[in-house]
């Protein structure tokens, strides 16, 4: 059974260094994605990740966790502004876990599906295929 992804939903593909936001166009087998915007880490030294960081966490891992929080903050602002209804989230397992820690309830309520998959180096067509397979 596949998940129905409504047209105009937002698909986010992220890792610890980059997030790309796509807009769903079409439905079913005709579903395609249009790249809308990319997010990169900003002012990492001025922020910290949400929650308590493990003592053994490296500076790189701290930066990745902070970026995951920044992505969730951007999605919160977009949701509050009415810029999307449904959300599909793909991220590598570590980033996805960090994103879940920072996810606001209104973002969580819009989440149609999430998957621990590293797709940031995939083509838009490959990502659209992953969405169709949900």
């Amino acid at each position: 059974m596949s998940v129905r992804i409504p047209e105009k939903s937002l698909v986010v593909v992220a890792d610890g260094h980059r997030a790309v936001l796509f807009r769903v166009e079409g439905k079913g087998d005709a579903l395609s994605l249009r790249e809308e915007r990319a997010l990169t880490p900003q002012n990492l030294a001025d922020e910290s990740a949400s929650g308590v960081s493990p003592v053994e966490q490296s500076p790189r891992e701290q930066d990745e966790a902070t970026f995951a929080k920044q992505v969730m903050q951007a999605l919160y602002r977009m949701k509050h502004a009415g810029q999307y209804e449904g959300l599909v989230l793909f991220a590598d397992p570590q980033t996805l876990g960090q994103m879940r820690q920072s996810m606001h309830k209104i973002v969580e309520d819009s989440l149609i599906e999430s998957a621990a998959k590293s797709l940031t180096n995939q083509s838009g067509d490959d990502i659209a295929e992953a969405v169709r397979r949900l």
Side-chain angles (χ1 to χ4, degrees):
M1 185 177 116
S2 67
V3 176
R4 185 181 170 321
I5 309 296
E7 198 165 2
K8 304 297 181 199
S9 292
L10 196 63
V11 174
V12 178
V13 177
D15 61 23
H17 311 283
R18 183 170 81 118
V20 183
L21 284 60
F22 296 92
R23 189 66 65 177
V24 172
E25 298 180 337
K27 298 176 184 173
D29 290 340
L31 182 144
S32 65
L33 300 176
R34 176 178 43 84
E35 186 174 328
E36 196 164 279
R37 114 187 219 211
L39 303 173
T40 55
Q42 303 294 316
N43 304 318
L44 293 176
D46 298 338
E47 291 189 49
S48 64
S50 293
V52 177
S53 298
V55 174
E56 68 278 358
Q57 195 174 49
S58 72
R60 178 183 171 160
E61 290 169 328
Q62 289 173 356
D63 286 349
E64 290 174 356
T66 301
F67 177 59
K69 180 182 87 170
Q70 290 177 349
V71 172
M72 287 295 99
Q73 289 171 336
L75 291 174
Y76 172 78
R77 287 189 301 272
M78 290 176 72
K79 180 66 179 170
H80 233 292
Q83 295 177 349
Y84 68 92
E85 289 297 320
L87 175 66
V88 175
L89 185 58
F90 291 107
D92 64 88
Q94 181 173 337
T95 301
L96 186 59
Q98 292 164 336
M99 293 171 119
R100 286 181 176 144
Q101 290 179 9
S102 303
M103 191 178 295
H104 191 279
K105 176 128 177 67
I106 69 166
V107 175
E108 184 179 350
D109 289 347
S110 67
L111 192 61
I112 298 167
E113 189 71 49
S114 65
K117 293 184 178 186
S118 298
L119 297 176
T120 51
N121 293 322
Q122 300 297 315
S123 71
D125 289 341
D126 289 343
I127 296 167
E129 182 59 31
V131 173
R132 285 191 289 271
R133 286 192 305 246
L134 290 174

